[in-house]
């Protein structure tokens, strides 16, 4: 790299590190203010608490990296433009596209860092973060999803109206045993709790109805029943926090297991693809940011920052809307993509749209 490249890369990475540090400090302060009472009540160790907030910083660094990179580019490039440094570069005969080289050098390093964080480092940090929260912050965890059906084994269909993940308990259990098209047994229970030390389920207020040939039925009622069932609470209670603790290799295996159980994997697949797409978004936002901020405006840095915030929130909003649509849409038989293919495309659509916007801004930028 030439001196000019080193100058811009240094400005880029230095400003990014400063902004990332500020964001992490703000997050830690607000989180500590919110949870200080619970941490004191549960007597959380000081060293464990400090390490927890290190993991919190890793989590938010990965989550906000694209947006922070965008603000970084807008901030220091706008200052270069207002100080006429970019004007001097271009007046000296440097092509406008040459200005992008050091930006993409630094952006490439940050993309590599984002991929490492998203695929390997942050899931391990989230694992420790979640363990600390379950011990000292959120000791009771509920799953919002209701009316959960799973085929836990061939011919065994289980239904829960709701699940409390922290207690390992499901409510309003209905378990059906099928042999082909024939229903052989139905079990109803007010609740079912998994006992991990005995590897069995404890059912309360149980009604068991056996179906015999010829239409005969046998019914009995038990106040409690301990039974071994081939299922776990995790089969029903899919928490985003738990998914976030899985490195990419484990997440792929988990998706395959969920597909075998017949459950929906839309959100899991979108999470998997977004780990790469969000890292690649740094390059797209770099193109947009330089094209906007390299222009000297009479309003100064303020207008550039306003444009950065507006575009950043628009990108996040578009990503969420497309993700929700991809997770819930039903495909007709003639559609050329499978559901998995659609989710892969949906994860990359925001990058494609904003790359087109970046190309248009580059063409319109004064050179």
């Amino acid at each position: 790299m030439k001196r000019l490249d080193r100058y811009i890369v240094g400005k880029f990475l230095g400003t990014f590190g400063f902004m990332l540090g500020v964001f992490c400090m703000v997050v830690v302060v607000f989180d500590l203010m919110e949870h200080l009472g619970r941490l004191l009540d549960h007597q959380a160790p000081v060293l464990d608490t400090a390490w927890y907030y290190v993991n919190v910083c890793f989590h938010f660094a990965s989550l906000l990296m694209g947006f922070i990179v965008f603000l970084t580019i807008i901030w220091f490039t706008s200052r270069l433009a207002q100080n006429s440094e970019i004007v001097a570069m271009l007046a000296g005969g440097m092509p406008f596209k040459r200005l992008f080289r050091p930006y993409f050098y630094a952006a490439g390093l940050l993309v590599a860092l984002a991929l490492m964080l998203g695929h390997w480092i942050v899931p391990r940090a989230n694992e420790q973060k979640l363990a600390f929260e379950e011990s000292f912050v959120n000791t009771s965890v509920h799953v919002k999803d209701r009316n959960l059906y799973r085929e836990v084994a061939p011919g065994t269909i289980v239904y829960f109206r709701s699940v409390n993940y922290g207690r390992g308990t499901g409510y309003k259990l209905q378990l059906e045993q099928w042999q082909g098209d024939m229903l052989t047994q139905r079990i109803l229970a007010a609740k079912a709790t998994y006992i991990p030390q005995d590897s069995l389920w404890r059912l309360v207020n149980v009604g068991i109805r056996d179906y015999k040939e010829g239409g005969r039925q046998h019914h009995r009622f038990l106040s409690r029943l301990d039974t071994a069932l081939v299922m776990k609470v995790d089969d029903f209670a899919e928490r985003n926090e738990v998914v976030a603790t899985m490195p990419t290799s484990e997440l792929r295996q988990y998706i395959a297991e969920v597909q075998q159980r017949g459950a929906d994997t839309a959100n899991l697949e979108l999470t998997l693809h977004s780990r790469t797409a969000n890292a690649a978004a740094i390059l797209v936002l770099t193109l947009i940011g330089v094209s906007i901020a390299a222009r000297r405006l009479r309003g100064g840095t303020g207008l550039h920052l306003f444009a950065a915030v507006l575009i950043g929130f628009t990108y996040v909003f578009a990503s969420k809307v497309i993700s929700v649509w991809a997770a819930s849409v039903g495909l007709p038989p003639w559609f050329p993509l499978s559901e998995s293919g659609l989710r892969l495309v949906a994860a990359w659509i925001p990058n494609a749209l904003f790359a087109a916007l970046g190309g248009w801004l580059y063409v319109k930028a004064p050179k």
Side-chain angles (χ1 to χ4, degrees):
M1 291 190 295
K2 296 184 178 180
R3 181 177 298 179
L4 174 63
D5 298 325
R6 292 194 296 270
Y7 175 71
I8 293 179
V9 169
K11 286 277 190 180
F12 192 152
L13 298 180
T15 308
F16 170 77
F18 174 77
M19 285 195 171
L20 182 61
V22 170
F23 270 89
C24 287
M25 289 179 59
V26 171
V27 168
V28 168
V29 169
F30 277 91
D31 189 86
L32 186 60
M33 291 175 60
E34 180 181 357
H35 297 140
L36 183 60
R38 295 180 183 179
L39 295 175
L40 294 176
D41 291 341
H42 294 109
Q43 298 180 348
V46 176
L47 290 179
D48 290 348
T49 303
W51 186 245
Y52 164 72
Y53 280 109
V54 171
N55 293 324
V56 167
C57 290
F58 275 114
H59 172 77
F60 279 96
S62 177
L63 184 66
L64 301 174
M65 180 171 286
F67 185 66
I68 296 175
V69 167
F70 192 47
L71 286 181
T72 296
I73 293 171
I74 293 292
W75 173 257
F76 88 86
T77 305
S78 179
R79 291 180 62 86
L80 292 178
Q82 295 305 120
N83 293 334
S84 300
E85 294 181 63
I86 292 180
V87 173
M89 296 176 195
L90 300 179
M94 185 183 72
F96 184 64
K97 64 180 180 180
R98 172 65 178 83
L99 177 65
F100 283 82
R101 183 186 297 176
Y103 284 93
F104 281 106
Y105 285 159
L109 291 175
L110 294 178
V111 168
L113 176 61
L115 289 173
M116 292 177 60
L117 287 173
H119 287 283
W120 296 288
I121 299 176
V122 171
R124 295 307 183 193
N126 283 337
E127 185 177 5
Q128 300 176 22
K129 171 177 171 288
L130 181 61
F132 182 90
E133 289 175 344
E134 290 180 344
S135 299
F136 303 109
V137 180
N138 301 317
T139 56
S140 180
V141 180
H142 296 268
V143 178
K144 296 181 180 179
D145 293 340
R146 300 178 66 86
N147 300 322
L148 303 165
Y149 287 90
R150 299 290 186 270
E151 184 176 8
V152 298
T156 303
I157 310 297
V158 178
Y159 161 85
F160 282 115
R161 177 178 294 179
S162 61
V163 172
N164 186 310
Y165 188 93
R167 297 178 180 177
T169 301
Y171 299 92
K172 297 296 183 181
L173 166 72
Q174 178 175 304
L175 187 150
E176 296 181 349
Q177 297 283 359
W178 291 80
Q179 291 184 356
D181 296 334
M182 180 179 178
L183 177 63
T184 59
Q185 187 183 68
R186 174 180 288 137
I187 299 176
L188 302 176
K191 69 175 183 178
T193 302
Y194 184 65
I195 312 297
Q197 58 269 26
D198 298 326
S199 298
L200 55 82
W201 285 83
R202 179 163 295 164
L203 281 56
V204 178
N205 296 334
V206 187
I208 304 175
R209 187 179 298 272
D210 297 308
Y211 297 88
K212 309 293 184 180
E213 295 182 358
R216 293 181 295 112
Q217 300 181 14
H218 176 68
H219 181 263
R220 60 190 187 275
F221 179 83
L222 302 172
S223 60
R224 196 183 84 174
L225 173 65
D226 291 345
T227 182
L229 299 173
V230 188
M231 64 181 187
K232 300 178 294 184
V233 180
D234 292 342
D235 296 339
F236 299 87
E238 178 189 303
R239 294 177 57 201
N240 292 330
E241 294 87 349
V242 175
V243 173
T245 64
M246 300 179 183
T248 297
S249 58
E250 294 182 11
L251 181 56
R252 291 183 187 276
Q253 295 176 0
Y254 181 65
I255 291 174
E257 294 173 1
V258 173
Q259 288 174 338
Q260 290 179 354
R261 297 199 302 262
D264 182 37
T265 60
N267 291 325
L268 296 175
E269 293 180 43
L270 288 170
T271 299
L272 174 64
H273 300 316
S274 65
R275 291 181 177 181
T276 303
N278 290 343
I282 293 175
L283 298 175
V284 176
L285 294 175
T286 299
L287 174 63
I288 296 175
V290 178
S291 299
I292 291 176
R295 176 181 303 187
R296 184 176 182 179
L297 297 178
R298 183 171 299 177
T301 306
L303 289 177
H304 287 152
L305 290 177
F306 174 77
V309 172
L310 180 62
I311 293 175
F313 278 109
T314 303
Y315 177 86
V316 172
F317 177 76
S319 299
K320 293 299 181 183
V321 170
I322 293 172
S323 297
V324 171
W325 170 77
S328 59
V329 68
L331 297 179
W334 50 264
F335 197 76
L337 290 176
S338 63
E339 291 185 353
S340 297
L342 176 65
R343 290 155 195 163
L344 173 61
V345 172
W348 286 89
I349 285 178
N351 286 352
L353 295 177
F354 280 81
L357 173 63
W360 181 80
L361 291 173
Y362 171 78
V363 172
K364 295 296 182 179
K367 303 177 179 60

